[in-house]
Amino acid sequence: MHWTQIEAQYVSREFLNASRAANAYPELNGRQLPSFHEIRALSIHLHKKAGKSAQTLAGYATEKMTEIYASSHELIWNDADVGIDLPFNTA
């Protein structure tokens, strides 16, 4: 414990309160709203993709920790032949 330490959920909760007050995502409700950590991870990913230092932005001591935060934003899809005809199959 440190005298300036904040409660574990403080940043996430206040980010949600600020998003709601700003009416940032009026069409989304509940868990549909992006969290502080999702937005932060996306910004790290976009900085890296633009060739900028994501580690500096994130403030992490190691590149490995920055990679962990950014890793879930580049989805790779693989087409798979499942052996049946589907009505929407365009192949």
Side-chain angles (χ1 to χ4, degrees):
M1 295 289 287
H2 189 272
W3 68 273
T4 61
Q5 184 174 338
I6 60 173
E7 124 187 58
Q9 294 300 315
Y10 178 79
V11 173
S12 296
R13 185 179 60 246
E14 291 306 312
F15 178 80
L16 178 60
N17 290 339
S19 294
R20 286 182 175 154
N23 201 25
Y25 305 95
E27 72 283 0
L28 302 179
N29 294 310
R31 292 198 174 268
Q32 293 175 322
L33 290 165
S35 72
F36 168 77
H37 295 285
E38 289 169 325
I39 299 253
R40 185 168 190 254
L42 178 59
S43 68
I44 290 168
H45 169 74
L46 294 174
H47 259 65
K48 276 189 62 177
K49 199 170 179 177
K52 304 214 185 259
S53 173
Q55 186 173 349
T56 301
L57 172 72
Y60 289 121
T62 66
E63 184 65 28
K64 182 178 179 182
M65 192 61 203
T66 305
E67 287 300 317
I68 290 170
Y69 236 95
S71 66
S72 64
H73 285 282
E74 194 71 37
L75 297 177
I76 300 170
W77 293 93
N78 294 309
D79 290 330
D81 181 5
V82 294
I84 59 174
D85 274 337
L86 299 173
F88 51 84
N89 188 1
T90 60

